[in-house]
Amino acid sequence: MDYLAQYLPILIFLFIAAGLSAAFVFLPMGVSRLTGAHNPDTEKLSEYECGFPAFEEPRSQFDVRFYLVAILFIIFDLEAAFLFPWAVSLDLTGWPGWITMMIFLGELIVGFAYAWKVGALEWE
Amino acid sequence: MDYSISLRLIAPEILLSVSGLVLLLVAAWGGQKTGRLVSILSAAALFGAGLMLFPTLHLGVVGPDTFAFGDQFRADAFAAFAKALIYLAGIGCLMVAPTYFDRLKAMKPEYPVLLLFAVLGMSIMVSASDFLTLYIGLELNSLAAYVLAAFLRNDTRSAESGLKYFVLGALASGILLYGMSLLYGFTGTTSFEGVRVALSGEMSTGMLFGLIFVLAGLAFKISAVPFHMWTPDVYEGAPTPVTTFFATAPKVAAIALTARVALDAFGTQVDAWRQVVIFAALASILVGALGAIGQQNLKRLLAYSSINNVGFILIGLAAGTVGGVGAMLVYLAIYVAMSLGSFVALLMLRDENGDALATFADISGLSAKRPALAWCLLALMFSLAGIPPLLGFFGKFVVFQAGVEADMVALAAFGIAASVIGAFYYIKFVKVMFFDDASERSVADSTTAHWVLLVVTTAIVSPLGYLVTPSLGDLTDKAASALFLLP
Amino acid sequence: MIQTIAFYLFAVLVIASAVMVIMARNPVHSVLWLILAFFNAAGLMVLVGAEFIAMLLVVVYVGAVAVLFLFVVMMLDIDFAELRAGFVRNFPLGIAIALVLLAELVLGIGAYQAGNLDLGTPAGDAAPMLGESNIENLGALLYGKYLFLFETAGIILLVAMVGAIVLTHRPPKTQRGHQHIGKQNARRPEDATVMKQPEVGKGVEL
């Protein structure tokens, strides 16, 4: 599997990145735990004067329009994803392949025109 | 690969998709008010696509000449017959929708467009001769159907039915895909032809699992017991024109698809799936008949009735012979007429305010108020019950005959016994309409489109229908032979 | 050797993050764990040679589907504490289903090792190796042999788009009060006011 060898640098990079980020997170924690004084009690761990426990979940509901935008994004994302294999295999598929993709794009352009015209892309 | 031949074979599908795309643009630019115009144009597109089927259907074209795109798609007589039924049902559902949605101020031109795409999906389903084509067609149909079920998005029940249909439909698709991947893993191909060859001889456990999973996924789509639980809820919650659509066209598509999968892809292993189909048939007949008894809501009642009818249709498939498939197709054609007619009648049952008369209590004494409507409903109900001389009896008769000819006397006998149970609630329907005291609810006038559909379907199920049965039998025989090309 | 290590690394991580998806207390954290699971699944895909699928997993699933999940989680007003209570109540049922699936797996593997299952070999016409890379072969099949299905898939995407718009798009009900400066300036006193001289004892008729 020589093609996997091409991914070796990425793997090494991953290991180094994971190792470094772990070190950056856990090293200060460990060092401060070992060197500093550490004796918590209830009062120390509770909210300080100016804070108070949360009354409710901090999440607030999103507008449904975000969802519509996300769906439209996924669809065009997928469409774009189909372009990659088409582009690299065009010399194998030739004219039929080219026409196929143009029809596919045409279908999606009709959808795009529809979405635009009915105002799905407008915020207000 | 010669694309021109393939493109000629998929001409109806091309017409449907191009008109769907154009009508979508009309919908976008014309806005809400084009709802009726787009409906009419969609119906015209369906009609045009139906005309293209005529030569195939009439000549009974089968065999390699009908294979498109390297045998991924077959435009043979069997597919043409199913498509003709689907297009006709689609036209019927388009005719009744604008009135219903206009009343709720919810008519949008997207409705006919989505319906057109759903029909396109079914059209691909019934022509599928590769598991990939099967899946793509099924998903196109299902996706449009989920949206249609939730089309009245401000009505909680419509939204709920859309969600239920979507979640359970996605589960069924998952089961189907799992079965397909097992079959691909153990046979090394996705084409029906290849699977058929690979399955001949001794069948391994993995293949058996794949076969069962595929059948289970398809059983969901045809709402055969034990995968029927979504049907009453979805039928009740969805807007009635959509329910009309669900009860007719997708049923035809899914049953035709099941028949093709069972007899083509699994044609060398008839014994492996026959017991599954027999079980589903018996259970559907029984559950459909018993479940309907306690129902007060008319749409739920008809949902159980459709489950019940699927059981009878599956008897024809279980026979596994040319005669059985022919009988199945005859029954399907009659079922579409009966189902379309009874749902159109439900759509016509409205009071002056436009509220639906949804329960038995609402329609009691209907015959005094609207005698014509009541008599049409009587014919449709008696036909669904299979009472001679109505055409529903002929449908049941041919499937039982096919069952007996295939040495399944016990199955046929059980079916006959269960249809007696089923007759109970159809007769109750008639009794409430004709002999009970009239309810206070008035019944409003209906549009001409409704009356035309109701009268046409009633005429088909009436004894007049026997005039067309010889030519119908001729067509179904030609169509059925498409599935039995190979030994 | 490295391949094996990488496989176990990705496999363990994908299972661990999948467990975290259902164990995380905060639904937003669940989605983040899911993204990690997708990344590791992409790593597994690279290992089996399906490079394009791996990239697709990152681009589509991490880039779009996970974002959609986040929106849905943020959009729905669900009491997750209550849901979790249901989880505890249904736990025996969940375990039962898990056991059934496990039994299936064991049966399958057992049968496979006993030689009762033989996997099929791809049909000869199924995959002629035309190009050099995975993605090139994929393209050759998708836009050659399966172009009909590809076009239909395009229609499915279109239906998904139309469906999403039909079900969620609400056209603005009323035009909100946009200020038209020109209209304001063009308005003259005589358009807006009327001079009346009512007689004593009678009201004004407008």
Side-chain angles (χ1 to χ4, degrees):
Chain A
M1 284 287 222
D2 55 336
Y3 106 94
L4 274 179
Q6 299 166 15
Y7 285 93
L8 190 62
I10 297 180
L11 190 69
I12 294 169
F13 174 79
L14 267 183
F15 273 115
I16 293 175
L20 274 183
S21 50
F24 281 138
V25 172
F26 293 110
L27 203 66
M29 286 166 73
V31 170
S32 67
R33 174 66 62 93
L34 291 175
T35 54
H38 181 73
N39 38 9
D41 58 47
T42 356
E43 283 304 310
K44 271 187 187 167
L45 290 175
S46 68
E47 291 85 0
Y48 194 51
E49 283 165 0
C50 52
F52 49 80
F55 294 129
E56 57 192 8
E57 287 229 17
R59 294 191 303 115
S60 61
Q61 267 180 271
F62 267 36
D63 195 310
V64 75
R65 284 178 294 185
F66 283 106
Y67 165 79
L68 186 56
V69 171
I71 282 270
L72 293 178
F73 170 62
I74 288 190
I75 289 165
F76 289 112
D77 197 22
L78 270 174
E79 183 196 351
F82 276 125
L83 287 170
F84 296 114
W86 172 73
V88 296
S89 69
L90 203 53
D91 52 344
L92 297 174
T93 51
W95 280 106
W98 190 82
I99 295 168
T100 304
M101 183 47 89
M102 290 307 125
I103 297 172
F104 179 78
L105 290 181
E107 286 167 4
L108 269 290
I109 286 171
V110 168
F112 181 61
Y114 169 78
W116 193 325
K117 189 64 194 167
V118 300
L121 304 175
E122 282 168 33
W123 198 252
E124 282 298 331
Chain B
M1 205 185 300
D2 190 350
Y3 290 108
S4 61
I5 294 174
S6 298
L7 289 177
R8 212 172 303 140
L9 287 170
I10 62 162
E13 282 74 21
I14 292 177
L15 175 67
L16 287 183
S17 29
V18 170
S19 30
L21 292 173
V22 171
L23 290 177
L24 189 63
L25 291 179
V26 171
W29 261 266
Q32 304 279 328
K33 57 188 179 295
T34 51
R36 203 166 276 266
L37 172 75
V38 174
S39 297
I40 294 169
L41 291 176
S42 306
L46 286 176
F47 188 74
L51 285 184
M52 292 180 178
L53 301 169
F54 195 72
T56 319
L57 197 55
H58 184 65
L59 300 171
V61 185
V62 294
D65 289 347
T66 61
F67 295 2
F69 298 107
D71 198 16
Q72 287 167 23
F73 186 96
R74 286 185 192 171
D76 54 16
F78 178 78
F81 186 84
K83 280 180 204 174
L85 283 182
I86 291 167
Y87 296 168
L88 284 176
I91 292 173
C93 300
L94 280 172
M95 280 168 70
V96 294
T99 321
Y100 180 90
F101 287 116
D102 275 343
R103 198 181 291 119
L104 300 166
K105 302 207 171 23
M107 185 61 201
K108 288 192 212 162
E110 284 86 355
Y111 176 84
V113 173
L114 283 170
L115 193 134
L116 209 54
F117 282 129
V119 169
L120 173 66
M122 290 178 230
S123 197
I124 293 170
M125 271 162 78
V126 296
S127 282
S129 54
D130 189 296
F131 279 108
L132 289 174
T133 319
L134 180 163
Y135 186 69
I136 295 265
L138 194 74
E139 280 307 296
L140 180 54
N141 163 33
S142 307
L143 200 59
Y146 304 144
V147 180
L148 287 177
F151 199 74
L152 293 176
R153 62 183 188 193
N154 294 325
D155 177 13
T156 337
R157 279 152 37 102
S158 173
E160 180 196 329
S161 94
L163 187 66
K164 260 185 192 158
Y165 195 22
F166 172 68
V167 171
L168 291 172
L171 178 73
S173 290
I175 293 173
L176 188 70
L177 266 183
Y178 189 42
M180 279 159 52
S181 61
L182 277 174
L183 280 176
Y184 178 62
F186 286 104
T187 61
T189 172
T190 56
S191 82
F192 287 1
E193 200 70 60
V195 170
R196 184 191 174 91
V197 172
L199 285 186
S200 57
E202 188 81 15
M203 193 163 60
S204 71
T205 328
M207 292 176 185
L208 186 66
F209 265 96
L211 187 151
I212 301 292
F213 272 108
V214 166
L215 283 182
L218 292 174
F220 177 91
K221 296 289 172 191
I222 59 176
S223 65
V225 177
F227 303 99
H228 66 290
M229 54 290 180
W230 57 276
T231 320
D233 289 350
V234 171
Y235 279 26
E236 189 194 353
T240 315
V242 177
T243 314
T244 314
F245 182 62
F246 285 173
T248 50
K251 281 266 155 87
V252 177
I255 288 169
L257 175 65
T258 310
R260 200 192 283 276
V261 170
L263 291 166
D264 198 346
F266 305 151
T268 44
Q269 292 290 348
V270 175
D271 291 330
W273 55 260
R274 181 177 271 156
Q275 39 190 329
V276 179
V277 173
I278 289 177
F279 169 76
L282 292 182
S284 303
I285 293 171
L286 206 60
V287 170
L290 295 178
I293 288 176
Q295 300 300 330
Q296 286 301 316
N297 184 299
L298 302 178
K299 271 160 96 181
R300 286 187 85 85
L301 181 96
L302 286 181
Y304 278 104
S305 156
S306 84
I307 297 172
N308 179 265
N309 276 293
V310 162
F312 291 114
I313 293 171
L314 286 180
I315 290 182
L317 177 60
T321 56
V322 183
V325 174
M328 186 189 91
L329 290 175
V330 169
Y331 197 111
L332 258 182
I334 298 170
Y335 167 76
V336 167
M338 296 190 295
S339 210
L340 195 60
S342 32
F343 275 105
V344 167
L346 278 201
L347 275 168
M348 294 166 75
L349 290 169
R350 324 211 128 251
D351 62 16
E352 303 292 350
N353 301 329
D355 295 328
L357 307 179
T359 61
F360 272 128
D362 293 334
I363 62 155
S364 68
L366 184 72
S367 65
K369 284 177 271 183
R370 295 274 160 189
L373 184 54
W375 279 100
C376 286
L377 262 171
L378 173 125
L380 289 163
M381 287 301 135
F382 277 2
S383 180
L384 277 168
I387 293 171
L390 295 156
L391 202 60
F393 166 74
F394 179 71
K396 286 200 169 64
F397 174 73
V398 287
V399 290
F400 290 143
Q401 192 187 26
V404 171
E405 276 170 7
D407 287 336
M408 295 192 298
V409 183
L411 177 63
F414 180 86
I416 293 167
S419 63
V420 176
I421 308 177
F424 169 77
Y425 59 88
Y426 296 120
I427 293 172
K428 179 180 166 196
F429 205 111
V430 172
K431 176 218 155 219
V432 169
M433 281 192 303
F434 280 81
F435 301 110
D436 281 10
D437 295 333
S439 70
E440 294 120 46
R441 306 282 296 268
S442 59
V443 185
D445 273 330
S446 308
T447 63
T448 324
H450 287 81
W451 276 112
V452 167
L453 269 182
L454 185 65
V455 169
V456 167
T457 48
T458 313
I460 294 172
V461 302
S462 73
L464 289 176
Y466 286 96
L467 296 175
V468 295
T469 46
S471 49
L472 182 66
D474 190 35
L475 286 183
T476 53
D477 283 345
K478 283 181 199 158
S481 67
L483 299 189
F484 294 91
L485 295 178
L486 298 167
Chain C
M1 171 58 188
I2 296 175
Q3 218 173 314
T4 322
I5 293 173
F7 170 76
Y8 281 111
L9 177 77
F10 289 135
V12 167
L13 277 177
V14 80
I15 291 174
S17 42
V19 169
M20 286 311 290
V21 170
I22 53 171
M23 301 304 271
R25 204 160 271 283
N26 186 330
V28 178
H29 292 178
S30 290
V31 177
L32 295 178
W33 282 113
L34 191 65
I35 292 177
L36 183 63
F38 284 147
F39 266 117
N40 287 298
L44 288 175
M45 287 294 176
V46 169
L47 280 181
V48 295
E51 285 172 292
F52 179 63
I53 304 290
M55 299 313 150
L56 217 55
L57 213 58
V58 174
V59 171
V60 175
Y61 278 81
V62 177
V65 174
V67 175
L68 188 70
F69 279 1
L70 266 184
F71 281 156
V72 171
V73 165
M74 299 298 268
M75 210 167 61
L76 298 176
D77 188 19
I78 298 177
D79 187 352
F80 284 92
E82 201 174 308
L83 270 186
R84 208 151 278 116
F87 175 75
V88 173
R89 200 170 53 244
N90 295 328
F91 194 65
L93 186 68
I95 289 287
I97 292 174
L99 281 179
V100 169
L101 290 179
L102 184 70
E104 246 175 54
L105 268 181
V106 171
L107 271 179
I109 293 170
Y112 182 64
Q113 283 185 336
N116 286 343
L117 301 181
D118 43 27
L119 288 170
T121 45
D125 62 329
M129 296 297 272
L130 298 166
E132 285 181 349
S133 64
N134 173 274
I135 181 168
E136 237 173 310
N137 284 314
L138 199 88
L141 275 181
L142 203 53
Y143 311 106
K145 189 181 174 199
Y146 292 108
L147 60 83
F148 168 66
L149 298 179
F150 174 67
E151 299 296 0
T152 318
I155 301 264
I156 293 183
L157 285 180
L158 178 71
V159 169
M161 194 189 311
V162 176
I165 291 174
V166 165
L167 292 183
T168 61
H169 179 63
R170 275 159 221 276
K173 281 204 186 75
T174 48
Q175 287 294 324
R176 286 221 308 211
H178 285 296
Q179 197 176 18
H180 292 288
I181 305 283
K183 216 173 158 189
Q184 276 181 339
N185 287 342
R187 196 169 155 125
R188 297 288 115 202
E190 42 279 13
D191 305 335
T193 56
V194 196
M195 291 295 281
K196 291 264 178 183
Q197 292 205 316
E199 286 177 46
V200 178
K202 285 188 180 174
V204 182
E205 264 187 56
L206 289 173

